[in-house]
Amino acid sequence: MARGVRSSPLYQCEEDYEVFFLILRKTMEKYPFIIHSYCLMTTHFHMLITTLQIEIWIVMGYLMQNYAMYFNRKYGTKGHVFDSRYVSRLIEDERYFLEVSRYIHLNPVRAFMVQNPLDYPYSSYRSFFSRQKNQLLDIRELLSYFEGNQTEGYRIFVEAAVSHEEEEKMIQKDMGEDDRELP
């Protein structure tokens, strides 16, 4: 997760989201890694990734530096675009892996931006149900935890009415987030 400086918007228009995705693709080409899920909020972004041969600080540094240069050039600003270093946690078990993905996909719902995570356009959630392949995303590992109709199993897992408050609090603590923050 990375947040805009003083929680200011990282994305001010549709083009900003599109450029972020272009820079993300360029980053993946230069330093290969796997994205399992992502969500670009107004003031921050989340990604669940697996690095391959390159350390995460190199991947995130390249991504954030290139987006910051674009942002400053476009808006005529100078200095920091991101509040601080990105926040990352090593995920070592499959339950936490699934919970983090759910947390990422429900972020716009918890921020009252949409009622259904499928309605948020800057999240990977839609890609789990689309026939059109998302070139940035590899959903195979997440779906492998579900039997039968894997995409339906994942949808039920994410959208289940059952509260997962304890897991969400643990993830919020890990990410340094407060769910009362407005987008």
Side-chain angles (χ1 to χ4, degrees), residues 27-36 49-59 138 140-141:
T27 305
M28 290 178 79
E29 290 168 1
K30 186 170 179 75
Y31 305 113
F33 60 96
I34 299 167
I35 301 176
H36 304 284
I49 70 172
T50 299
T51 56
L52 301 174
Q53 297 175 341
I54 303 295
E55 295 178 29
I56 190 165
W57 65 269
I58 295 171
V59 170
D138 187 339
R140 292 175 296 182
E141 186 172 352

Side-chain angles (χ1 to χ4, degrees), residues 30-149:
K30 186 170 179 75
Y31 305 113
F33 60 96
I34 299 167
I35 301 176
H36 304 284
S37 56
Y38 64 79
C39 186
L40 309 184
M41 300 292 283
T42 308
T43 62
H44 64 285
F45 69 86
H46 293 275
M47 290 192 306
L48 176 56
I49 70 172
T50 299
T51 56
L52 301 174
Q53 297 175 341
I54 303 295
E55 295 178 29
I56 190 165
W57 65 269
I58 295 171
V59 170
M60 295 302 289
Y62 186 85
L63 172 65
M64 292 167 66
Q65 180 181 14
N66 279 280
Y67 185 75
M69 288 189 305
Y70 154 79
F71 188 93
N72 281 336
R73 192 170 41 252
K74 178 177 181 181
Y75 294 105
T77 56
K78 293 182 181 181
H80 296 285
V81 170
F82 294 96
D83 194 39
S84 63
R85 181 183 180 274
Y86 61 92
V87 176
S88 68
R89 297 291 180 260
L90 181 62
I91 298 175
E92 298 183 290
D93 70 55
E94 60 190 50
R95 181 172 179 220
Y96 193 63
F97 180 75
L98 287 167
E99 290 295 341
V100 168
S101 183
R102 175 180 16 219
Y103 180 84
I104 288 170
H105 286 142
L106 290 179
N107 216 251
V109 175
R110 282 191 305 279
F112 304 105
M113 297 171 83
V114 294
Q115 289 185 337
N116 186 316
L118 280 170
D119 296 334
Y120 192 71
Y122 309 111
S123 162
S124 59
Y125 192 61
R126 289 178 175 184
S127 298
F128 283 77
F129 312 100
S130 174
R131 294 189 191 279
Q132 203 169 24
K133 184 169 170 49
N134 181 330
Q135 299 297 321
L136 295 172
L137 194 63
D138 187 339
I139 63 176
R140 292 175 296 182
E141 186 172 352
L142 280 165
L143 294 181
S144 74
Y145 296 108
F146 301 93
E147 295 180 6
N149 184 338

